[in-house]
Amino acid sequence: MGKKLKVVICSSEVVPFAKTGGLADVAGSLPQALEKQGLEVIVIMPKYKNIDYPENLAKIGKNISVYFIENDGFFKRDGLYGDSLGDYEDNLDRFIYYSQEAIRLLKKINFKPQIIHCNDWQTALIPVYLKSIYTRDKFFKNCKTVFTIHNLGYQGLFPKEQFKKIGLGNDFFTLETLEFYGKVNVLKGGLVFSDVLTTVSENYAKEIQTPEYGCGLDGVLLYRKKVLHGIINGINYEEWNPATDKVIAKNYDPRNLEDKYINKEDLQKISGLEKRSNLPLIGLITRLADQKGLDILTRAIDEICQLPVQFILLGTGEDKYHVFFKQIAKKYPKNVSINLKFDAALAYKIYAGCDMFLMPSRYEPCGLGQLISLKYATVPLVRNTGGLADTVVDFMPYQDEGNGFVFSEYSSGTLLEMVKRAVTVYYHRSVWKKLVKRTVEDDFSWEQSARKYVELYEETIKLPS
Ligand code: ADP
């Protein structure tokens, strides 16, 4: 066997240490899947409040070191990126610090990686520094960078006056580099200076090269198209598995799906919904942000709540949605449960207890909710976009095809029409049972995706310097 490929994963959030969204799930489970493929992996993330390990070092998987970059002034705060007033004003300073220290740490611990795999804008300055300050540094001579876009909507935009903080010359503030409509765009730095780019589904990789989904960076991505790859995220079935889940009321697997409905009863009980086994229970777990399709949902919700269904929401985010859903809770006390918080335990119970899981996203790079629901035999109701389109196929009862329901046009009308279609099928019990069986057929574990990353790393290290 050859020498182990040495990889560093840089991420601003990693499960189980800190999480605001799917990035943390990926950054927590991909390293473990890579380790299983025989790679030597370490992870570097900021040391947020409540993270407390001797020598700023923890272990995950079999033997993966997770290093924490410490700076209490920057990271010992309640939020990861902001608070109720919005993003922290010094986010550029915070992630410059993280990026520079991550590079220094590698030298300090003498870990010479062949691949530094960065994720989203918070880590995007690492490839920029490697291709500027560190070009002649022998330590990084055989090191290549891979950059994954988890969400093109978050770019790390800052006023141009802040550019000097980055510590690079003005030739790094041009149309070809970090300048973006008169501002500093940190993500763009990652897109321009990394050796290889990936994003989290094949479909999103195509979409982001178009003006509709490119968030102003479609030109850059078209330019780098040859090195841009789509690799769908997996989910960690050790964490997300109804057969072993320690939180839910009753474990079940594809052979005894009937036991799923004990979880439905439990969910109805703990969320104050009426105990009604024959009503379809629709769940939604999400950041309350425009991206997630909440504007069309708010326009369709009254009609949805007036159908013979129950509805449960778990989410936090924009104030306007908190206000809106509080009203909905008051209006439909019998068949609606609104939970405006981040609650990992309740999330498991919702995935297990619901019949349907709704994701009407405007755009969705990969989406984990639909993959988790499929594992929990909960039928996903999704919009035909990004990774949702790659993983959910519209149910065709007569063709024996599909694992969920899909709508295309981004409007409240088409969303409602899809929900009605799903509810109609639900009441055809034998057809619904057939569909539920189909949900658990596909395998979205990390193994296959991790293999693709390994192949890509192996191609990447062969690229000329
Ligand atoms: P994104 O990363 O855009 O937020 P994903 O679908 O990729 O969306 O990942 C979201 C992850 O966060 C899922 O694991 C989901 O269950 C979880 N999640 C989102 N909101 C909450 C919440 N309020 N409470 C618990 N888990 C949540």
Side-chain angles (χ1 to χ4, degrees):
M1 218 173 88
K3 255 180 134 187
K4 280 187 176 180
L5 198 63
K6 287 174 100 170
V7 179
V8 184
I9 307 275
C10 295
S11 173
S12 59
E13 47 185 275
V14 181
V15 162
F17 309 106
K19 165 166 169 172
T20 68
L23 167 63
D25 292 302
V26 175
S29 42
L30 175 63
Q32 302 186 41
L34 293 172
E35 183 183 50
K36 284 187 189 145
Q37 305 273 331
L39 276 59
E40 186 178 351
V41 190
I42 67 167
V43 179
I44 308 178
M45 68 172 287
K47 183 179 181 224
Y48 299 109
K49 202 175 166 180
N50 302 329
I51 294 180
D52 188 14
Y53 290 89
E55 314 209 348
N56 286 329
L57 172 64
K59 292 275 180 187
I60 57 171
K62 247 174 122 193
N63 192 23
I64 299 169
S65 296
V66 180
Y67 291 91
F68 301 103
I69 302 293
E70 182 172 17
N71 180 321
D72 287 354
F74 282 151
F75 300 124
K76 210 171 183 179
R77 302 181 186 178
D78 288 333
L80 265 50
Y81 315 119
D83 54 24
S84 58
L85 301 172
D87 287 346
Y88 294 132
E89 293 219 340
D90 57 353
N91 270 347
L92 183 58
D93 307 76
R94 297 171 78 223
F95 289 102
I96 288 173
Y97 183 82
Y98 164 81
S99 302
Q100 291 183 335
E101 288 302 308
I103 297 173
R104 285 192 196 121
L105 176 83
L106 293 173
K107 292 184 122 182
K108 200 172 118 197
I109 61 172
N110 196 24
F111 187 91
K112 268 192 194 166
Q114 287 149 294
I115 298 283
I116 302 184
H117 185 163
C118 297
N119 297 276
D120 279 356
W121 79 262
Q122 293 87 349
T123 62
L125 287 171
I126 293 172
V128 178
Y129 287 133
L130 289 173
K131 287 270 162 70
S132 51
I133 301 170
Y134 290 92
T135 37
R136 281 164 216 269
D137 192 316
K138 287 207 180 89
F139 189 87
F140 295 105
K141 196 168 151 256
N142 294 316
C143 173
K144 295 284 188 318
T145 47
V146 172
F147 185 84
T148 298
I149 304 158
H150 294 262
N151 191 332
L152 199 61
Y154 299 87
Q155 303 184 350
L157 285 177
F158 301 94
K160 65 170 184 285
E161 292 71 33
Q162 294 199 26
F163 175 72
K164 51 184 179 299
K165 291 180 178 173
I166 296 176
L168 297 174
N170 282 338
D171 49 337
F172 282 83
F173 192 66
T174 65
L175 187 67
E176 289 79 31
T177 56
L178 274 70
E179 192 270 341
F180 183 76
Y181 299 101
K183 289 189 171 171
V184 182
N185 186 324
V186 177
L187 179 73
K188 189 179 168 203
L191 303 185
V192 170
F193 288 100
S194 302
D195 294 301
V196 164
L197 306 176
T198 77
T199 187
V200 289
S201 68
E202 285 181 20
N203 192 32
Y204 193 60
K206 287 190 206 123
E207 286 176 340
I208 55 178
Q209 297 174 42
T210 67
E212 192 187 349
Y213 288 99
C215 303
L217 290 170
D218 38 297
V220 180
L221 290 161
L222 260 178
Y223 179 69
R224 300 228 64 204
K225 171 183 178 156
K226 279 205 179 128
V227 297
L228 170 62
H229 305 260
I231 302 179
I232 192 89
N233 287 334
I235 51 171
N236 181 356
Y237 284 164
E238 275 158 36
E239 186 189 351
W240 300 106
N241 188 345
T244 52
D245 187 319
K246 293 197 175 63
V247 177
I248 61 177
K250 175 82 183 164
N251 289 118
Y252 59 98
D253 64 34
R255 283 162 305 165
N256 56 6
L257 287 176
E258 284 306 312
D259 283 349
K260 176 175 170 63
Y261 302 101
I262 298 170
N263 295 296
K264 182 171 176 178
E265 262 180 37
D266 175 57
L267 180 60
Q268 286 167 330
K269 201 167 106 195
I270 60 165
S271 60
L273 291 166
E274 282 182 333
K275 193 174 141 191
R276 298 279 297 274
S277 59
N278 55 342
L279 277 184
L281 176 48
I282 307 175
L284 177 63
I285 305 175
T286 184
R287 287 185 288 116
L288 298 174
D290 291 339
Q291 178 210 333
K292 298 295 180 179
L294 292 163
D295 53 343
I296 55 173
L297 180 65
T298 54
R299 274 181 262 125
I301 194 84
D302 272 303
E303 283 181 85
I304 292 175
C305 293
Q306 286 159 23
L307 296 170
V309 302
Q310 292 178 326
F311 178 74
I312 180 163
L313 169 99
L314 170 61
T316 55
E318 287 176 40
D319 228 21
K320 62 179 180 192
Y321 293 123
H322 283 239
V323 173
F324 178 85
F325 282 110
K326 273 184 198 155
Q327 281 171 355
I328 292 294
K330 273 200 195 126
K331 205 162 163 190
Y332 302 100
K334 276 197 172 154
N335 62 335
V336 170
S337 164
I338 300 293
N339 306 273
L340 300 170
K341 57 181 174 176
F342 193 96
D343 185 338
L346 182 57
Y348 289 104
K349 286 176 178 279
I350 292 176
Y351 286 118
C354 287
D355 298 291
M356 307 174 189
F357 190 83
L358 188 60
M359 293 180 80
S361 308
R362 180 185 283 277
Y363 72 93
E364 194 61 76
C366 173
L368 297 177
Q370 84 281 17
L371 303 181
I372 301 171
S373 330
L374 287 167
K375 182 70 180 171
Y376 280 74
T378 301
V379 175
L381 273 52
V382 308
R383 183 163 170 260
N384 187 21
T385 185
L388 299 172
D390 282 349
T391 52
V392 182
V393 177
D394 203 32
F395 182 53
M396 301 275 189
Y398 301 108
Q399 274 100 341
D400 205 20
E401 203 182 286
N403 56 1
F405 293 90
V406 182
F407 73 107
S408 286
E409 186 195 282
Y410 188 75
S411 75
S412 55
T414 48
L415 162 62
L416 181 63
E417 189 268 335
M418 172 196 64
V419 173
K420 283 183 175 163
R421 213 151 46 84
V423 171
T424 307
V425 175
Y426 178 87
Y427 284 102
H428 284 88
R429 296 306 295 157
S430 59
V431 185
W432 185 259
K433 271 192 187 158
K434 235 166 85 181
L435 169 56
V436 170
K437 277 205 184 116
R438 297 186 61 86
T439 57
V440 291
E441 280 175 6
D442 289 314
D443 179 4
F444 293 107
S445 62
W446 262 108
E447 207 180 307
Q448 291 178 48
S449 305
R451 268 203 207 111
K452 290 190 183 155
Y453 277 109
V454 176
E455 276 168 29
L456 186 66
Y457 293 158
E458 275 165 359
E459 280 169 32
T460 306
I461 59 175
K462 288 186 210 140
L463 292 174
S465 297

